[in-house]
Amino acid sequence: SQQGEEDPQALSIQEGENATMNCSYKTSINNLQWYRQNSGRGLVHLILIRSNEREKHSGRLRVTLDTSKKSSSLLITASRAADTASYFCATDAGATDSWGKLQFGAGTQVVVTP
Amino acid sequence: DAGITQSPRHKVTETGTPVTLRCHQTENHRYMYWYRQDPGHGLRLIHYSYGVKDTDKGEVSDGYSVSRSKTEDFLLTLESATSSQTSVYFCAISEWGQGAGANVLTFGAGSRLTVL
């Protein structure tokens, strides 16, 4: 079963707008990661936020984590056509029975139109 | 996808035939993974390896076997392919267990398998 569930499933915006997507998860985590997948390609790691962090920035990316609500959000500011991709959250429970394993959600498909 | 290659990239086969997908890395990473990606399901872990000859099952391991005889190669075998195994298969590697502070994955480009 999936640990992370992304919302929305799909998002269509225009260049220059911000894109926000959310991830909810079920069990406690050690960290949560976001990956991007361009069409026909493998996933690429974007950013990691640890369970003791609340917010993290990387370029135009902003990630928040609320462990009390078991949720995270990814904000892409000033979006570009090149941001068109699917975005996945992945959780690392860090527990013995899940050691070394990440669990991925189903992803949010983002389309940025010029 | 520097440092990790998957082969074949595309394969069409018939139900009941054996299929082997290969993942090759040049990064000397300890952890290697096989995931499958299907619409609506995201990525689901099939098997993973934490060292030569050390492998373990993921959440969807039925019908799949793996082998790792060398650090650089991780093979995924479908002993008798079924139509439900039509999917895109991704290999990933990680420095986890080698001093990395977190388990961050680097993915291959994927292998698209169609079982008719």
Side-chain angles (χ1 to χ4, degrees):
Chain A
S1 61
Q2 291 167 214
Q3 163 75 311
E5 298 281 347
E6 284 97 339
D7 172 61
Q9 290 186 326
L11 181 60
S12 184
I13 57 174
Q14 293 195 316
E15 269 192 329
E17 294 181 337
N18 295 342
T20 300
M21 60 210 83
N22 305 294
C23 171
S24 60
Y25 56 93
K26 299 171 185 172
T27 62
S28 62
I29 60 170
N30 191 34
N31 66 70
L32 184 143
Q33 303 173 35
W34 286 91
Y35 289 76
R36 182 188 74 231
Q37 183 182 34
N38 291 97
S39 181
R41 306 292 296 272
L43 281 71
V44 174
H45 180 258
L46 293 177
I47 193 166
L48 177 151
I49 186 164
R50 299 184 187 279
S51 59
N52 61 352
E53 298 174 313
R54 292 297 168 257
E55 188 171 312
K56 203 159 181 182
H57 296 255
S58 176
R60 294 185 294 112
L61 304 179
R62 172 179 169 249
V63 171
T64 62
L65 180 65
D66 187 335
T67 53
S68 67
K69 295 182 179 178
K70 291 185 168 61
S71 68
S72 172
S73 68
L74 172 67
L75 168 68
I76 305 172
T77 61
S79 62
R80 306 166 182 169
D83 294 326
T84 293
S86 293
Y87 293 82
F88 295 86
C89 68
T91 53
D92 184 352
T96 303
D97 61 349
S98 61
W99 195 253
K101 295 185 279 188
L102 297 186
Q103 283 202 298
F104 288 81
T108 293
Q109 190 171 11
V110 176
V111 175
V112 182
T113 54
Chain B
D1 304 316
I4 177 170
T5 56
Q6 295 184 227
S7 60
R9 293 290 315 279
H10 301 271
K11 184 171 182 67
V12 179
T13 191
E14 293 189 348
T15 298
T17 59
V19 176
T20 295
L21 305 180
R22 180 183 183 233
C23 178
H24 179 77
Q25 61 144 332
T26 57
E27 306 297 320
N28 200 36
H29 286 351
R30 178 181 171 188
Y31 275 74
M32 298 185 75
Y33 305 82
W34 278 107
Y35 285 88
R36 61 177 289 174
Q37 184 176 34
D38 304 287
H41 288 280
L43 272 78
R44 292 181 291 174
L45 181 64
I46 304 171
H47 282 281
Y48 70 105
S49 169
Y50 46 95
V52 173
K53 293 187 170 57
D54 293 322
T55 65
D56 204 351
K57 297 178 180 179
E59 60 180 308
V60 290
S61 59
D62 287 349
Y64 302 95
S65 63
V66 290
S67 66
R68 192 169 178 197
S69 58
K70 299 184 290 185
T71 298
E72 57 266 36
D73 289 327
F74 191 33
L75 303 180
L76 176 70
T77 297
L78 292 65
E79 299 291 347
S80 178
T82 67
S83 58
S84 65
Q85 293 176 310
T86 292
S87 186
V88 181
Y89 291 86
F90 286 97
C91 177
I93 60 176
S94 167
E95 287 184 278
W96 186 240
Q98 294 169 283
N103 189 16
V104 172
L105 303 187
T106 300
F107 283 84
S111 294
R112 183 175 293 275
L113 176 66
T114 302
V115 184
L116 302 175

